[in-house]
Amino acid sequence: MTTATLNDMEAVNRRILDRRAANRSLPPYRAALIPEVTDLLASYFDKVCPGAVVDGVRRVGGGASKEQFFFTLTDAEGARQQYLLRMDPRSAITETDREREFILLQAMAGVVPVPEAAWVDPAGSHFPQPAAIMKVVSGVTKPSGSGVKVSGLGTWLGEDLRAKLRDQFLDHLVTIHAYDFRANPLPGFEVPDADDLQAARWVINYWHELWRIDHGETRPIVALAQQWLADNLPPCPPENLVLTHGDYRTGNYLFDEASGQITALLDWELARIGDFHEDLGWVLMQIFGTNEDGTFRASDLFEREEFITEYERRSGRTVNRTTLHFYDVLSSYKCYVICAANGLAAARSQHNHQDVLLTFLGCATAIFAGDLVRLLSQGAPA
């Protein structure tokens, strides 16, 4: 590839990469304290919602990429509403853009279930880092009694919840992919249509650059995967370009445990305009699924071939197995970069409030290395 080709990516991703590189030399980051967050919220709402009172601020568990806090806001008329503050740390396991996520949540309101986006501070003008505030939605990400584990990794739903959730899960994905981004443009979202390889080229360039910025050592499996991806860019005809979610899986939606109703789709921060196969490859990753009695279920909802067939039937699209294989490889490569480079770099630099979790997730690198070896060895299905 030429230098110009290697640098071909969405402008927002170039800004994210430049920000991450610039932050490397900054001093350690300290997690925000409850009194500090309370004062920040109070002063913020003095400006945007005069007369409102903030109380009940508490940290939300989890969140390897964002600091998150629940709080209650009482407006001047006495109405109370619970909100969630999502604030960037100095460096995260995934680098994203708060304004982009905010725009997308607003666009998806009424299309699929999403939290209501209320306020955003995209540049960190008021909060120490870029931040967004949204209304809290009721629901859980995993069944009660399922133990303490990273959200969405091997979550077992069981037969009853699986039967209630699976159609909603797939139908919502089909609906997202049907969003007409040309008739209803999303500000800041570029369309990779300069040529039919640009959709794939944009995404591998971004993740290759993340690895370059954050990696600690040369690793043969990464070099092999990078070369294979560059050599096997799949064409994406215009009809295959969709709004992708970017992180669609169990663990990234809320549901009512009693009814099995999905109440909100979460974590839209990796969304972009791209090939629909990219979302499918992510859904089908083994680490997000379960393997019970030798039967693999993607997100514990569908067997692999069943998911592909049902997606084709409900969406009217045809899944190209060679293209899907490319995005299978890319998904494992992304996860390798996230765990072996981004997460560990953020932990080493003390730029994240979850350095212990990020270090723990570094252990998953071997899983993704194994996935890459398996996928690159078997080749694309005929």
Side-chain angles (χ1 to χ4, degrees):
M1 290 186 183
T2 65
T3 300
T5 301
L6 289 170
N7 287 330
D8 189 21
M9 67 179 69
E10 263 190 288
V12 66
N13 284 340
R14 173 52 60 192
R15 292 195 299 271
I16 288 169
L17 290 168
D18 290 345
R19 181 184 68 201
R20 188 171 183 93
N23 282 351
R24 292 293 298 274
S25 60
L26 294 177
Y29 176 83
R30 177 177 61 77
L33 303 177
I34 297 298
E36 294 172 337
V37 175
T38 302
D39 289 344
L40 282 167
L41 287 167
S43 60
Y44 180 74
F45 285 110
D46 279 345
K47 293 184 291 184
V48 302
C49 192
V53 176
V54 173
D55 66 86
V57 178
R58 62 186 177 89
R59 182 178 290 276
V60 181
S65 61
K66 304 290 172 289
E67 284 204 77
Q68 302 189 120
F69 301 87
F70 284 140
F71 67 94
T72 300
L73 186 71
T74 305
D75 66 22
E77 284 71 45
R80 291 172 62 81
Q81 174 67 51
Q82 193 172 32
Y83 289 94
L84 174 72
L85 167 68
R86 281 169 58 82
M87 187 170 63
D88 289 358
R90 183 156 294 147
S91 292
I93 198 167
T94 53
E95 292 290 341
T96 52
D97 184 86
R98 297 284 61 71
E99 186 170 30
R100 187 177 171 96
E101 181 185 27
F102 190 83
I103 287 168
L104 193 50
L105 286 174
Q106 290 183 318
M108 289 295 101
V111 178
V112 291
V114 293
E116 181 181 332
W119 295 276
V120 64
D121 180 14
S125 300
H126 178 85
F127 294 93
Q129 298 287 121
I133 296 171
M134 54 204 67
K135 285 186 178 180
V136 170
V137 180
S138 63
V140 297
T141 58
K142 60 185 179 182
S144 58
S146 57
V148 178
K149 59 174 66 176
V150 178
S151 177
L153 303 191
T155 298
W156 190 79
L157 299 167
E159 291 185 10
D160 181 54
L161 275 175
R162 186 183 302 138
K164 294 174 180 176
L165 290 168
R166 49 187 268 131
D167 286 338
Q168 298 174 73
F169 178 85
L170 184 47
D171 287 342
H172 288 326
L173 181 62
V174 169
T175 299
I176 294 166
H177 288 179
Y179 179 82
D180 192 342
F181 59 85
R182 297 188 189 276
N184 304 284
L186 298 163
F189 284 73
E190 299 177 55
V191 180
D193 55 5
D195 59 72
D196 63 0
L197 299 181
Q198 192 173 46
R201 189 167 63 246
W202 272 5
V203 71
I204 70 164
N205 283 352
Y206 177 62
W207 287 92
H208 287 358
E209 186 69 2
L210 275 173
W211 175 261
R212 187 193 68 78
I213 291 170
D214 280 347
H215 85 285
E217 59 188 26
T218 299
R219 303 190 185 189
I221 188 60
V222 173
L224 179 64
Q226 289 178 338
Q227 189 61 57
W228 187 92
L229 290 166
D231 291 343
N232 290 276
L233 295 178
C236 179
E239 63 270 20
N240 282 7
L241 283 175
V242 303
L243 172 63
T244 65
H245 178 279
D247 196 5
Y248 200 78
R249 57 180 174 84
T250 291
N252 278 347
Y253 58 84
L254 295 173
F255 63 92
D256 178 79
E257 193 168 2
S259 66
Q261 184 70 31
I262 291 179
T263 56
L265 305 179
L266 308 175
D267 287 358
W268 291 78
E269 51 199 330
L270 292 173
R272 71 185 194 103
I273 308 299
D275 192 317
F276 73 85
H277 293 86
E278 187 174 355
D279 267 345
L280 303 193
W282 194 261
V283 169
L284 292 167
M285 283 199 68
Q286 291 193 6
I287 197 166
F288 300 138
T290 56
N291 200 317
E292 184 183 12
D293 299 326
T295 300
F296 170 75
R297 289 190 179 88
S299 279
D300 198 41
L301 295 170
F302 291 90
E303 295 181 35
R304 181 181 173 91
E305 288 303 315
E306 179 189 24
F307 176 80
I308 295 169
T309 300
E310 278 298 298
Y311 178 84
E312 289 182 321
R313 184 180 70 81
R314 300 183 195 203
S315 68
R317 302 180 184 277
T318 299
V319 175
N320 182 301
R321 298 310 179 102
T322 300
T323 301
L324 180 58
H325 181 69
F326 173 89
Y327 284 106
D328 284 337
V329 174
L330 180 62
S331 295
S332 289
Y333 171 69
K334 286 180 188 177
C335 286
Y336 193 102
V337 173
I338 287 170
C339 292
N342 303 159
L344 289 180
R348 281 195 305 268
S349 61
Q350 301 178 61
H351 283 173
N352 190 281
H353 59 298
Q354 292 272 40
D355 54 347
V356 174
L357 174 61
L358 299 188
T359 303
F360 166 76
L361 289 174
C363 299
T365 299
I367 297 174
F368 303 120
D371 285 345
L372 288 169
V373 170
R374 171 177 56 83
L375 290 165
L376 293 173
S377 298
Q378 72 185 29

